[in-house]
Amino acid sequence: MKFLKLKRLFWAAVAVLALGVPSIHAADISLLNVSYDPTREFYKEYNQAFAKHWKELKGDTVTIRQSHGGSGAQARSVIDGLDADVVTLALAYDVDAIAEKAHAIDPNWQKRLTHNSAPYTSTIVFLVRKGNPKGIKDWDDLAKADVKVITPNPKTSGGARWNHLAAWGYGLEKYGSEDKAREFVSKIYANVPVLDSGARGATNTFVQRGLGDVLIAWENEAILSIKELGPDKFDIVVPSISILAEPSVSIVDKNVEKKGTKEVATAYLEYLYSKEGQRIAAKNYYRPTDPEIIKESEANFPKLKLFTIDAVFNGWGEAQKKHFADGGEFDKIFASIKR
Amino acid sequence: MKWQFRKPSVLPGFGLTLGFSLTYVTLLVLIPLGGLLLYTTKLSWSEFGAVILDPRVLASFKLSFGASLIAAVINLFFGLIVAWTLARYNFFGKKIVDALVDLPFALPTAVAGIALAAIFAQSGWIGRLLDPLGIQIAYSRAGVVVALVFIGLPFVVRTVQPVIEEFEKEFEEAATSLGASWLQTFTKVILPSLMPALLTGFALSFARALGEYGSIIFISSNMPFVSEIVPLIIVTKLSQFDYVGATAVGTVMLFATFVILFLINAIQIYSREKSL
Amino acid sequence: MQSEHRLEPRWLKPLLLGITLLFLAIFLALPLGVVFSEALAKGWKVYWESISEPDAIAAIKLTLLVVLITVPLNTVFGVATAWLIAKFEFRGKGFLITLIDLPFAVSPVIAGLIFVLLFGSQGWFGAWLSEHDIRIVFATPGIILATLFITSPFVAREIIPLMQEQGKDEEESALTLGASGWQTFWKVTIPNIKWGLLYGVILSNARAMGEFGAVAVVSGHIRGLTTTMPLHVEILYGEYLFTAAFAVASLLTLLALVTLVLKSFIEWRIGKKRSLAH
């Protein structure tokens, strides 16, 4: 008797293991979008819009599954075989890594779609407590001794890398030299009490746990947390100058070819550039790139001076190596702070 | 005499269980961990040294070992008291308290981390009381220790409790009747016989604490050189696509835990032989 | 009532009892309180909605599936290994025990990592697996493997000392009386270890449900597909749905509590059996 049960369990286990092997269904198309943390709400809405659009266009039902996490960790999962059809990551470097290490994406991916394959952009702003009790107006104020700053760890968070580079860029512009910029950024990091591993974790620390006076965050993340967590609790402060953050998108060639989903995956990304895609992006506080939608949503996005990573840091490859690799600027700064 | 792999026994099933156990352990534990070691050999000794001796990695080793040691000592002390109370005294609600001790085994570590952070943050139930005193637990090294105490507590209690329960009261009575004070009886008679169990619990809780990840990232401030634990270094290296570096650090951790466990088993075998 | 120990100083019991209760209140009862108070912060309706939405259901199902596979496998492994270690003397036993213990102490992150290194597409078996279109990591098998690894020592650890304590006299006499090996095992050994076995199963079950670190590395975080309950909690927490996050967490906690109550019941039964035997 009991052995029969064991045997049955064994075969059940075998059956389940076999079920883990996906089979391609003819009628329903399934896409997997591997993305970074703050895009959850945006893609939830966009996926529905695209599914409707595709159904009207082709008659096929497309289900889009989402995976979110730190941008680097997500890229690593794709490199290790997570079968993403499209990646929508926080920065071009992470997409490059997939192209380079797994040869799963065409190295020229950035040229395949307009605006360097960045259908929407964002920037880095500050979230402060209601009424701005510490009087924070610009990057300078973050370096003051009595201000506590929350920002995630740039080694694990894509958003935090933009934060770091935005501060560095400000330091360069204002003080004129690399050494001065390093000194300035060090002062900001000396004010950081907690380094979370991702943008969402940092927001939770600032908002839920009440830690810190200012959160350096994605613009969309800052606006969203005010909407979600109470307009009576926080204010947004826009610095005089910040970085133009271009989150990158690409299809994962190796996977779509294998799964036969290249057409729909490409359409999925192209639709991000359509009026409707752009409108949904704007609604979720990403800066649109379509001139018409930019005009439409002008009121939502404050004007500020934006510099690009190519202009100031000579592109992601160099910025990554100089600032975030082991022994890079970030490590040097923390080695010198050593509290 | 012939070299013998095993002592003869009339009981059947040696071949079957040996074969099954070895296959299972080999497939599930030995091959994967061996793979980890082999992966590390992609590095030369000097490269390996460079990864391990990097100041930031060294600082995290110091923290992980230090915090785990402190937590294990705290657990040793309080675990003994809890085990003693549960084994020797009757009180209202004892069953509930006894069941509660296993909670850290069962509660998902991430949930534990979030809950502990909520309690010990400045605005939390306990953090609020400590804040005026200038004590900060969450988002500091102390937070790491708090999480590790939570994780490791049942190990000490559950190894020591049964030994106290089975401890012959006659020894105590004999010692006392010979004129020893209670404290003398405790330190000279009771404590020595609890030693193997205490050491085992201590080592288990220490080894478990070394590897803990889920609960700590929520309550630590995760600052390089200050409150960054070794598993976080591994995760960080992974999100930087540095597999070899991650496995190198992992190998050191693995070696440390292996040594600790081997010592525990040695203690247990030694104390069993002694008691026979 | 058991006899109080007059040997001890009078102040000892209240002191130790006080320390025990205070210590456990801070470290165990308070976290439990936080989970439930946060989960019910917005009332039962929100609570119910949080645990009955499709992604939560999918996470619950996946978690149960993982438990259903890992716990029986580890039980068989635990019993076989305990028999081997308790009933026979052979060389390399200490080494084998250490190997069995190892997953207890290996960092969950490393546990996840090794399976990615083996079965990931850059890993050793990666090319072969992808040729044959078999997915292990970032799919259910990977999650099962990682959980299997983490929970493998629990049953074995629980019954090895029990079997060692019982020795092998009973089995030997059963065999002398003409019982077959299997009969001896089912009729003599299993009844002797059944409560300890159940305790091991329960602990391993609780751990399998709650494992986070190792599963997080191999899961791929595909919402509604490869997210177990602990991962679902993390996702909700990251979406500012704190109440929902704690609701799912409280469900896990509740399962853990049921487990612990079962365990106490079992211990109570053992105690009763023992006192009857005396």
Side-chain angles (χ1 to χ4, degrees), chain B residues 39-86:
Chain B
Y39 205 93
T40 315
T41 57
K42 286 190 180 175
L43 290 172
S44 70
W45 279 107
S46 63
E47 285 167 323
F48 182 77
V51 171
I52 299 304
L53 299 178
D54 175 73
R56 191 169 160 207
V57 176
L58 272 187
S60 78
F61 274 120
K62 246 192 246 163
L63 174 72
S64 270
F65 280 90
S68 301
L69 198 67
I70 294 171
V73 169
I74 293 175
N75 274 332
L76 186 68
F77 181 71
F78 285 100
L80 175 61
I81 293 178
V82 173
W84 185 273
T85 309
L86 289 176

Side-chain angles (χ1 to χ4, degrees), chain B residues 87-103:
Chain B
R88 284 284 169 101
Y89 305 133
N90 278 321
F91 55 92
F92 180 73
K94 178 175 164 176
K95 285 235 153 54
I96 300 170
V97 174
D98 194 34
L100 211 58
V101 170
D102 279 331
L103 185 72

